[in-house]
PDB file of all heavy atoms in Angstrom:
ATOM      1  N   GLY A   1       6.194 -11.094 -14.576  1.00 95.00           N
ATOM      2  CA  GLY A   1       5.780 -12.435 -14.157  1.00 95.00           C
ATOM      3  C   GLY A   1       5.540 -12.506 -12.659  1.00 95.00           C
ATOM      4  O   GLY A   1       4.590 -13.136 -12.192  1.00 95.00           O
ATOM      5  N   PHE A   2       6.406 -11.847 -11.880  1.00 95.00           N
ATOM      6  CA  PHE A   2       6.242 -11.807 -10.429  1.00 95.00           C
ATOM      7  C   PHE A   2       4.945 -11.104 -10.048  1.00 95.00           C
ATOM      8  O   PHE A   2       4.175 -11.597  -9.221  1.00 95.00           O
ATOM      9  CB  PHE A   2       7.439 -11.092  -9.786  1.00 95.00           C
ATOM     10  CG  PHE A   2       7.276 -10.882  -8.313  1.00 95.00           C
ATOM     11  CD1 PHE A   2       7.513 -11.910  -7.426  1.00 95.00           C
ATOM     12  CD2 PHE A   2       6.875  -9.650  -7.813  1.00 95.00           C
ATOM     13  CE1 PHE A   2       7.349 -11.725  -6.063  1.00 95.00           C
ATOM     14  CE2 PHE A   2       6.715  -9.451  -6.456  1.00 95.00           C
ATOM     15  CZ  PHE A   2       6.953 -10.494  -5.571  1.00 95.00           C
ATOM     16  N   ALA A   3       4.696  -9.946 -10.667  1.00 96.00           N
ATOM     17  CA  ALA A   3       3.481  -9.185 -10.357  1.00 96.00           C
ATOM     18  C   ALA A   3       2.230  -9.979 -10.713  1.00 96.00           C
ATOM     19  O   ALA A   3       1.253  -9.985  -9.954  1.00 96.00           O
ATOM     20  CB  ALA A   3       3.500  -7.845 -11.088  1.00 96.00           C
ATOM     21  N   ILE A   4       2.255 -10.670 -11.837  1.00 97.00           N
ATOM     22  CA  ILE A   4       1.111 -11.493 -12.240  1.00 97.00           C
ATOM     23  C   ILE A   4       0.840 -12.575 -11.199  1.00 97.00           C
ATOM     24  O   ILE A   4      -0.297 -12.795 -10.791  1.00 97.00           O
ATOM     25  CB  ILE A   4       1.351 -12.114 -13.632  1.00 97.00           C
ATOM     26  CG1 ILE A   4       1.286 -11.019 -14.705  1.00 97.00           C
ATOM     27  CG2 ILE A   4       0.348 -13.227 -13.921  1.00 97.00           C
ATOM     28  CD1 ILE A   4       1.801 -11.458 -16.064  1.00 97.00           C
ATOM     29  N   GLN A   5       1.896 -13.243 -10.747  1.00 96.00           N
ATOM     30  CA  GLN A   5       1.722 -14.318  -9.747  1.00 96.00           C
ATOM     31  C   GLN A   5       1.217 -13.767  -8.418  1.00 96.00           C
ATOM     32  O   GLN A   5       0.327 -14.336  -7.799  1.00 96.00           O
ATOM     33  CB  GLN A   5       3.039 -15.073  -9.544  1.00 96.00           C
ATOM     34  CG  GLN A   5       2.926 -16.257  -8.624  1.00 96.00           C
ATOM     35  CD  GLN A   5       1.952 -17.304  -9.137  1.00 96.00           C
ATOM     36  OE1 GLN A   5       1.938 -17.636 -10.307  1.00 96.00           O
ATOM     37  NE2 GLN A   5       1.126 -17.837  -8.250  1.00 96.00           N
ATOM     38  N   GLU A   6       1.779 -12.654  -7.968  1.00 95.00           N
ATOM     39  CA  GLU A   6       1.339 -12.041  -6.713  1.00 95.00           C
ATOM     40  C   GLU A   6      -0.133 -11.641  -6.787  1.00 95.00           C
ATOM     41  O   GLU A   6      -0.900 -11.875  -5.855  1.00 95.00           O
ATOM     42  CB  GLU A   6       2.181 -10.794  -6.402  1.00 95.00           C
ATOM     43  CG  GLU A   6       3.502 -11.084  -5.770  1.00 95.00           C
ATOM     44  CD  GLU A   6       3.370 -11.450  -4.312  1.00 95.00           C
ATOM     45  OE1 GLU A   6       3.211 -10.567  -3.460  1.00 95.00           O
ATOM     46  OE2 GLU A   6       3.440 -12.655  -4.016  1.00 95.00           O
ATOM     47  N   LEU A   7      -0.523 -11.021  -7.897  1.00 96.00           N
ATOM     48  CA  LEU A   7      -1.918 -10.597  -8.043  1.00 96.00           C
ATOM     49  C   LEU A   7      -2.848 -11.801  -8.164  1.00 96.00           C
ATOM     50  O   LEU A   7      -3.967 -11.772  -7.648  1.00 96.00           O
ATOM     51  CB  LEU A   7      -2.062  -9.667  -9.248  1.00 96.00           C
ATOM     52  CG  LEU A   7      -1.455  -8.280  -9.032  1.00 96.00           C
ATOM     53  CD1 LEU A   7      -1.303  -7.544 -10.358  1.00 96.00           C
ATOM     54  CD2 LEU A   7      -2.299  -7.473  -8.045  1.00 96.00           C
ATOM     55  N   ALA A   8      -2.391 -12.875  -8.807  1.00 95.00           N
ATOM     56  CA  ALA A   8      -3.214 -14.089  -8.899  1.00 95.00           C
ATOM     57  C   ALA A   8      -3.474 -14.665  -7.502  1.00 95.00           C
ATOM     58  O   ALA A   8      -4.603 -15.064  -7.191  1.00 95.00           O
ATOM     59  CB  ALA A   8      -2.535 -15.125  -9.791  1.00 95.00           C
ATOM     60  N   LEU A   9      -2.443 -14.693  -6.667  1.00 93.00           N
ATOM     61  CA  LEU A   9      -2.619 -15.199  -5.299  1.00 93.00           C
ATOM     62  C   LEU A   9      -3.585 -14.312  -4.510  1.00 93.00           C
ATOM     63  O   LEU A   9      -4.428 -14.802  -3.763  1.00 93.00           O
ATOM     64  CB  LEU A   9      -1.268 -15.281  -4.586  1.00 93.00           C
ATOM     65  CG  LEU A   9      -0.300 -16.336  -5.132  1.00 93.00           C
ATOM     66  CD1 LEU A   9       1.080 -16.155  -4.525  1.00 93.00           C
ATOM     67  CD2 LEU A   9      -0.831 -17.733  -4.895  1.00 93.00           C
ATOM     68  N   TYR A  10      -3.457 -13.003  -4.673  1.00 93.00           N
ATOM     69  CA  TYR A  10      -4.363 -12.073  -3.999  1.00 93.00           C
ATOM     70  C   TYR A  10      -5.798 -12.268  -4.497  1.00 93.00           C
ATOM     71  O   TYR A  10      -6.741 -12.318  -3.711  1.00 93.00           O
ATOM     72  CB  TYR A  10      -3.897 -10.634  -4.238  1.00 93.00           C
ATOM     73  CG  TYR A  10      -4.888  -9.599  -3.766  1.00 93.00           C
ATOM     74  CD1 TYR A  10      -5.004  -9.290  -2.417  1.00 93.00           C
ATOM     75  CD2 TYR A  10      -5.722  -8.948  -4.664  1.00 93.00           C
ATOM     76  CE1 TYR A  10      -5.921  -8.350  -1.974  1.00 93.00           C
ATOM     77  CE2 TYR A  10      -6.642  -8.006  -4.231  1.00 93.00           C
ATOM     78  CZ  TYR A  10      -6.738  -7.714  -2.886  1.00 93.00           C
ATOM     79  OH  TYR A  10      -7.656  -6.792  -2.446  1.00 93.00           O
ATOM     80  N   LEU A  11      -5.965 -12.400  -5.815  1.00 94.00           N
ATOM     81  CA  LEU A  11      -7.308 -12.560  -6.387  1.00 94.00           C
ATOM     82  C   LEU A  11      -7.955 -13.887  -5.996  1.00 94.00           C
ATOM     83  O   LEU A  11      -9.179 -14.003  -6.018  1.00 94.00           O
ATOM     84  CB  LEU A  11      -7.254 -12.401  -7.910  1.00 94.00           C
ATOM     85  CG  LEU A  11      -7.031 -10.961  -8.384  1.00 94.00           C
ATOM     86  CD1 LEU A  11      -6.640 -10.943  -9.866  1.00 94.00           C
ATOM     87  CD2 LEU A  11      -8.263 -10.106  -8.129  1.00 94.00           C
ATOM     88  N   ASP A  12      -7.144 -14.872  -5.618  1.00 93.00           N
ATOM     89  CA  ASP A  12      -7.711 -16.137  -5.112  1.00 93.00           C
ATOM     90  C   ASP A  12      -8.578 -15.899  -3.882  1.00 93.00           C
ATOM     91  O   ASP A  12      -9.568 -16.592  -3.666  1.00 93.00           O
ATOM     92  CB  ASP A  12      -6.600 -17.132  -4.749  1.00 93.00           C
ATOM     93  CG  ASP A  12      -5.960 -17.776  -5.964  1.00 93.00           C
ATOM     94  OD1 ASP A  12      -6.529 -17.675  -7.076  1.00 93.00           O
ATOM     95  OD2 ASP A  12      -4.881 -18.379  -5.807  1.00 93.00           O
ATOM     96  N   THR A  13      -8.192 -14.930  -3.063  1.00 91.00           N
ATOM     97  CA  THR A  13      -8.940 -14.654  -1.830  1.00 91.00           C
ATOM     98  C   THR A  13      -9.773 -13.382  -1.912  1.00 91.00           C
ATOM     99  O   THR A  13     -10.560 -13.105  -1.010  1.00 91.00           O
ATOM    100  CB  THR A  13      -7.980 -14.547  -0.621  1.00 91.00           C
ATOM    101  OG1 THR A  13      -7.015 -13.527  -0.890  1.00 91.00           O
ATOM    102  CG2 THR A  13      -7.291 -15.882  -0.359  1.00 91.00           C
ATOM    103  N   HIS A  14      -9.581 -12.588  -2.969  1.00 93.00           N
ATOM    104  CA  HIS A  14     -10.323 -11.335  -3.143  1.00 93.00           C
ATOM    105  C   HIS A  14     -10.805 -11.226  -4.598  1.00 93.00           C
ATOM    106  O   HIS A  14     -10.427 -10.303  -5.323  1.00 93.00           O
ATOM    107  CB  HIS A  14      -9.434 -10.135  -2.803  1.00 93.00           C
ATOM    108  CG  HIS A  14      -8.948 -10.124  -1.397  1.00 93.00           C
ATOM    109  ND1 HIS A  14      -7.890 -10.891  -0.973  1.00 93.00           N
ATOM    110  CD2 HIS A  14      -9.389  -9.441  -0.316  1.00 93.00           C
ATOM    111  CE1 HIS A  14      -7.691 -10.676   0.318  1.00 93.00           C
ATOM    112  NE2 HIS A  14      -8.588  -9.802   0.740  1.00 93.00           N
ATOM    113  N   PRO A  15     -11.630 -12.166  -5.047  1.00 94.00           N
ATOM    114  CA  PRO A  15     -12.009 -12.216  -6.468  1.00 94.00           C
ATOM    115  C   PRO A  15     -12.831 -11.019  -6.947  1.00 94.00           C
ATOM    116  O   PRO A  15     -12.938 -10.806  -8.156  1.00 94.00           O
ATOM    117  CB  PRO A  15     -12.813 -13.510  -6.580  1.00 94.00           C
ATOM    118  CG  PRO A  15     -13.333 -13.760  -5.208  1.00 94.00           C
ATOM    119  CD  PRO A  15     -12.287 -13.219  -4.277  1.00 94.00           C
ATOM    120  N   ASP A  16     -13.396 -10.234  -6.048  1.00 94.00           N
ATOM    121  CA  ASP A  16     -14.233  -9.101  -6.458  1.00 94.00           C
ATOM    122  C   ASP A  16     -13.489  -7.768  -6.483  1.00 94.00           C
ATOM    123  O   ASP A  16     -14.096  -6.732  -6.732  1.00 94.00           O
ATOM    124  CB  ASP A  16     -15.455  -8.986  -5.524  1.00 94.00           C
ATOM    125  CG  ASP A  16     -16.329 -10.219  -5.605  1.00 94.00           C
ATOM    126  OD1 ASP A  16     -16.448 -10.784  -6.715  1.00 94.00           O
ATOM    127  OD2 ASP A  16     -16.880 -10.623  -4.569  1.00 94.00           O
ATOM    128  N   ASP A  17     -12.180  -7.782  -6.253  1.00 94.00           N
ATOM    129  CA  ASP A  17     -11.390  -6.553  -6.265  1.00 94.00           C
ATOM    130  C   ASP A  17     -11.128  -6.173  -7.728  1.00 94.00           C
ATOM    131  O   ASP A  17     -10.222  -6.691  -8.379  1.00 94.00           O
ATOM    132  CB  ASP A  17     -10.086  -6.745  -5.500  1.00 94.00           C
ATOM    133  CG  ASP A  17      -9.303  -5.451  -5.329  1.00 94.00           C
ATOM    134  OD1 ASP A  17      -9.462  -4.531  -6.146  1.00 94.00           O
ATOM    135  OD2 ASP A  17      -8.519  -5.382  -4.364  1.00 94.00           O
ATOM    136  N   LYS A  18     -11.940  -5.263  -8.241  1.00 95.00           N
ATOM    137  CA  LYS A  18     -11.871  -4.868  -9.655  1.00 95.00           C
ATOM    138  C   LYS A  18     -10.544  -4.190 -10.006  1.00 95.00           C
ATOM    139  O   LYS A  18     -10.005  -4.392 -11.082  1.00 95.00           O
ATOM    140  CB  LYS A  18     -13.038  -3.936 -10.013  1.00 95.00           C
ATOM    141  CG  LYS A  18     -14.407  -4.521  -9.747  1.00 95.00           C
ATOM    142  CD  LYS A  18     -14.679  -5.720 -10.606  1.00 95.00           C
ATOM    143  CE  LYS A  18     -16.094  -6.223 -10.358  1.00 95.00           C
ATOM    144  NZ  LYS A  18     -16.249  -7.623 -10.588  1.00 95.00           N
ATOM    145  N   GLU A  19     -10.024  -3.376  -9.097  1.00 94.00           N
ATOM    146  CA  GLU A  19      -8.758  -2.686  -9.341  1.00 94.00           C
ATOM    147  C   GLU A  19      -7.620  -3.700  -9.514  1.00 94.00           C
ATOM    148  O   GLU A  19      -6.799  -3.584 -10.426  1.00 94.00           O
ATOM    149  CB  GLU A  19      -8.449  -1.744  -8.182  1.00 94.00           C
ATOM    150  CG  GLU A  19      -7.155  -0.979  -8.333  1.00 94.00           C
ATOM    151  CD  GLU A  19      -6.829  -0.147  -7.106  1.00 94.00           C
ATOM    152  OE1 GLU A  19      -7.765   0.350  -6.445  1.00 94.00           O
ATOM    153  OE2 GLU A  19      -5.637  -0.006  -6.807  1.00 94.00           O
ATOM    154  N   ALA A  20      -7.568  -4.703  -8.638  1.00 95.00           N
ATOM    155  CA  ALA A  20      -6.524  -5.726  -8.727  1.00 95.00           C
ATOM    156  C   ALA A  20      -6.689  -6.554 -10.001  1.00 95.00           C
ATOM    157  O   ALA A  20      -5.699  -6.899 -10.656  1.00 95.00           O
ATOM    158  CB  ALA A  20      -6.554  -6.628  -7.501  1.00 95.00           C
ATOM    159  N   LEU A  21      -7.923  -6.851 -10.369  1.00 96.00           N
ATOM    160  CA  LEU A  21      -8.179  -7.626 -11.588  1.00 96.00           C
ATOM    161  C   LEU A  21      -7.740  -6.839 -12.818  1.00 96.00           C
ATOM    162  O   LEU A  21      -7.132  -7.393 -13.738  1.00 96.00           O
ATOM    163  CB  LEU A  21      -9.655  -8.005 -11.680  1.00 96.00           C
ATOM    164  CG  LEU A  21     -10.048  -8.852 -12.883  1.00 96.00           C
ATOM    165  CD1 LEU A  21      -9.280 -10.167 -12.911  1.00 96.00           C
ATOM    166  CD2 LEU A  21     -11.556  -9.105 -12.872  1.00 96.00           C
ATOM    167  N   GLU A  22      -8.003  -5.548 -12.818  1.00 96.00           N
ATOM    168  CA  GLU A  22      -7.591  -4.693 -13.935  1.00 96.00           C
ATOM    169  C   GLU A  22      -6.063  -4.647 -14.035  1.00 96.00           C
ATOM    170  O   GLU A  22      -5.493  -4.738 -15.128  1.00 96.00           O
ATOM    171  CB  GLU A  22      -8.157  -3.289 -13.713  1.00 96.00           C
ATOM    172  CG  GLU A  22      -7.967  -2.356 -14.876  1.00 96.00           C
ATOM    173  CD  GLU A  22      -8.636  -1.017 -14.620  1.00 96.00           C
ATOM    174  OE1 GLU A  22      -9.824  -0.983 -14.243  1.00 96.00           O
ATOM    175  OE2 GLU A  22      -7.930   0.006 -14.793  1.00 96.00           O
ATOM    176  N   LEU A  23      -5.383  -4.512 -12.898  1.00 96.00           N
ATOM    177  CA  LEU A  23      -3.924  -4.500 -12.880  1.00 96.00           C
ATOM    178  C   LEU A  23      -3.359  -5.848 -13.329  1.00 96.00           C
ATOM    179  O   LEU A  23      -2.396  -5.905 -14.105  1.00 96.00           O
ATOM    180  CB  LEU A  23      -3.429  -4.142 -11.473  1.00 96.00           C
ATOM    181  CG  LEU A  23      -1.941  -3.904 -11.294  1.00 96.00           C
ATOM    182  CD1 LEU A  23      -1.442  -2.782 -12.205  1.00 96.00           C
ATOM    183  CD2 LEU A  23      -1.641  -3.582  -9.829  1.00 96.00           C
ATOM    184  N   TYR A  24      -3.978  -6.929 -12.871  1.00 96.00           N
ATOM    185  CA  TYR A  24      -3.583  -8.291 -13.256  1.00 96.00           C
ATOM    186  C   TYR A  24      -3.648  -8.450 -14.775  1.00 96.00           C
ATOM    187  O   TYR A  24      -2.705  -8.932 -15.408  1.00 96.00           O
ATOM    188  CB  TYR A  24      -4.516  -9.272 -12.548  1.00 96.00           C
ATOM    189  CG  TYR A  24      -4.365 -10.718 -12.920  1.00 96.00           C
ATOM    190  CD1 TYR A  24      -3.290 -11.468 -12.470  1.00 96.00           C
ATOM    191  CD2 TYR A  24      -5.334 -11.355 -13.699  1.00 96.00           C
ATOM    192  CE1 TYR A  24      -3.173 -12.811 -12.787  1.00 96.00           C
ATOM    193  CE2 TYR A  24      -5.226 -12.692 -14.020  1.00 96.00           C
ATOM    194  CZ  TYR A  24      -4.135 -13.414 -13.561  1.00 96.00           C
ATOM    195  OH  TYR A  24      -4.020 -14.745 -13.880  1.00 96.00           O
ATOM    196  N   ARG A  25      -4.746  -8.026 -15.370  1.00 97.00           N
ATOM    197  CA  ARG A  25      -4.916  -8.144 -16.827  1.00 97.00           C
ATOM    198  C   ARG A  25      -3.940  -7.236 -17.572  1.00 97.00           C
ATOM    199  O   ARG A  25      -3.433  -7.605 -18.634  1.00 97.00           O
ATOM    200  CB  ARG A  25      -6.360  -7.838 -17.204  1.00 97.00           C
ATOM    201  CG  ARG A  25      -7.299  -8.950 -16.784  1.00 97.00           C
ATOM    202  CD  ARG A  25      -8.717  -8.686 -17.189  1.00 97.00           C
ATOM    203  NE  ARG A  25      -9.557  -9.830 -16.840  1.00 97.00           N
ATOM    204  CZ  ARG A  25     -10.835  -9.727 -16.580  1.00 97.00           C
ATOM    205  NH1 ARG A  25     -11.455  -8.551 -16.632  1.00 97.00           N
ATOM    206  NH2 ARG A  25     -11.534 -10.803 -16.271  1.00 97.00           N
ATOM    207  N   ALA A  26      -3.662  -6.056 -17.037  1.00 96.00           N
ATOM    208  CA  ALA A  26      -2.705  -5.152 -17.675  1.00 96.00           C
ATOM    209  C   ALA A  26      -1.306  -5.779 -17.683  1.00 96.00           C
ATOM    210  O   ALA A  26      -0.601  -5.724 -18.705  1.00 96.00           O
ATOM    211  CB  ALA A  26      -2.679  -3.803 -16.951  1.00 96.00           C
ATOM    212  N   TYR A  27      -0.909  -6.389 -16.559  1.00 96.00           N
ATOM    213  CA  TYR A  27       0.398  -7.059 -16.517  1.00 96.00           C
ATOM    214  C   TYR A  27       0.433  -8.256 -17.456  1.00 96.00           C
ATOM    215  O   TYR A  27       1.457  -8.518 -18.091  1.00 96.00           O
ATOM    216  CB  TYR A  27       0.757  -7.493 -15.089  1.00 96.00           C
ATOM    217  CG  TYR A  27       1.378  -6.396 -14.271  1.00 96.00           C
ATOM    218  CD1 TYR A  27       0.795  -5.961 -13.091  1.00 96.00           C
ATOM    219  CD2 TYR A  27       2.569  -5.794 -14.657  1.00 96.00           C
ATOM    220  CE1 TYR A  27       1.366  -4.957 -12.326  1.00 96.00           C
ATOM    221  CE2 TYR A  27       3.147  -4.791 -13.905  1.00 96.00           C
ATOM    222  CZ  TYR A  27       2.542  -4.378 -12.744  1.00 96.00           C
ATOM    223  OH  TYR A  27       3.110  -3.384 -11.995  1.00 96.00           O
ATOM    224  N   GLN A  28      -0.663  -9.004 -17.550  1.00 96.00           N
ATOM    225  CA  GLN A  28      -0.706 -10.128 -18.489  1.00 96.00           C
ATOM    226  C   GLN A  28      -0.479  -9.636 -19.912  1.00 96.00           C
ATOM    227  O   GLN A  28       0.271 -10.246 -20.681  1.00 96.00           O
ATOM    228  CB  GLN A  28      -2.044 -10.859 -18.407  1.00 96.00           C
ATOM    229  CG  GLN A  28      -2.209 -11.735 -17.205  1.00 96.00           C
ATOM    230  CD  GLN A  28      -3.563 -12.427 -17.223  1.00 96.00           C
ATOM    231  OE1 GLN A  28      -4.596 -11.812 -17.486  1.00 96.00           O
ATOM    232  NE2 GLN A  28      -3.550 -13.710 -16.950  1.00 96.00           N
ATOM    233  N   ASP A  29      -1.139  -8.533 -20.274  1.00 96.00           N
ATOM    234  CA  ASP A  29      -0.999  -7.974 -21.616  1.00 96.00           C
ATOM    235  C   ASP A  29       0.430  -7.502 -21.856  1.00 96.00           C
ATOM    236  O   ASP A  29       1.021  -7.793 -22.895  1.00 96.00           O
ATOM    237  CB  ASP A  29      -1.996  -6.824 -21.794  1.00 96.00           C
ATOM    238  CG  ASP A  29      -2.005  -6.293 -23.211  1.00 96.00           C
ATOM    239  OD1 ASP A  29      -2.102  -7.118 -24.153  1.00 96.00           O
ATOM    240  OD2 ASP A  29      -1.914  -5.061 -23.377  1.00 96.00           O
ATOM    241  N   MET A  30       1.010  -6.790 -20.886  1.00 95.00           N
ATOM    242  CA  MET A  30       2.397  -6.323 -21.020  1.00 95.00           C
ATOM    243  C   MET A  30       3.361  -7.505 -21.124  1.00 95.00           C
ATOM    244  O   MET A  30       4.320  -7.469 -21.899  1.00 95.00           O
ATOM    245  CB  MET A  30       2.787  -5.438 -19.841  1.00 95.00           C
ATOM    246  CG  MET A  30       2.153  -4.070 -19.876  1.00 95.00           C
ATOM    247  SD  MET A  30       2.821  -2.938 -18.620  1.00 95.00           S
ATOM    248  CE  MET A  30       2.224  -3.678 -17.108  1.00 95.00           C
ATOM    249  N   MET A  31       3.109  -8.558 -20.341  1.00 94.00           N
ATOM    250  CA  MET A  31       3.967  -9.745 -20.363  1.00 94.00           C
ATOM    251  C   MET A  31       3.926 -10.404 -21.736  1.00 94.00           C
ATOM    252  O   MET A  31       4.963 -10.766 -22.289  1.00 94.00           O
ATOM    253  CB  MET A  31       3.522 -10.730 -19.268  1.00 94.00           C
ATOM    254  CG  MET A  31       4.324 -11.986 -19.203  1.00 94.00           C
ATOM    255  SD  MET A  31       5.873 -11.681 -18.365  1.00 94.00           S
ATOM    256  CE  MET A  31       6.410 -13.339 -18.072  1.00 94.00           C
ATOM    257  N   HIS A  32       2.729 -10.547 -22.274  1.00 92.00           N
ATOM    258  CA  HIS A  32       2.583 -11.175 -23.596  1.00 92.00           C
ATOM    259  C   HIS A  32       3.339 -10.355 -24.655  1.00 92.00           C
ATOM    260  O   HIS A  32       4.106 -10.902 -25.439  1.00 92.00           O
ATOM    261  CB  HIS A  32       1.106 -11.303 -23.961  1.00 92.00           C
ATOM    262  CG  HIS A  32       0.884 -11.837 -25.341  1.00 92.00           C
ATOM    263  ND1 HIS A  32       1.109 -13.156 -25.664  1.00 92.00           N
ATOM    264  CD2 HIS A  32       0.484 -11.230 -26.477  1.00 92.00           C
ATOM    265  CE1 HIS A  32       0.857 -13.336 -26.944  1.00 92.00           C
ATOM    266  NE2 HIS A  32       0.466 -12.174 -27.461  1.00 92.00           N
TER     267      HIS A  32
END
């Protein structure tokens, strides 16, 4: 949950960072 929130805040200012988006989605899947 912490990693998801941190990456969401980062993606707010860096929406085109594909690596961060991929990591964000992977953590969302693991969290679910």
Side-chain angles (χ1 to χ4, degrees):
F2 174 80
I4 290 167
Q5 185 61 43
E6 279 284 281
L7 288 165
L9 292 170
Y10 171 78
L11 287 166
D12 284 346
T13 57
H14 299 80
D16 298 324
D17 187 335
K18 303 296 183 208
E19 180 185 327
L21 182 59
E22 188 176 310
L23 188 58
Y24 174 74
R25 288 182 176 153
Y27 276 121
Q28 285 181 314
D29 186 49
M30 287 189 292
M31 180 79 167
H32 176 73

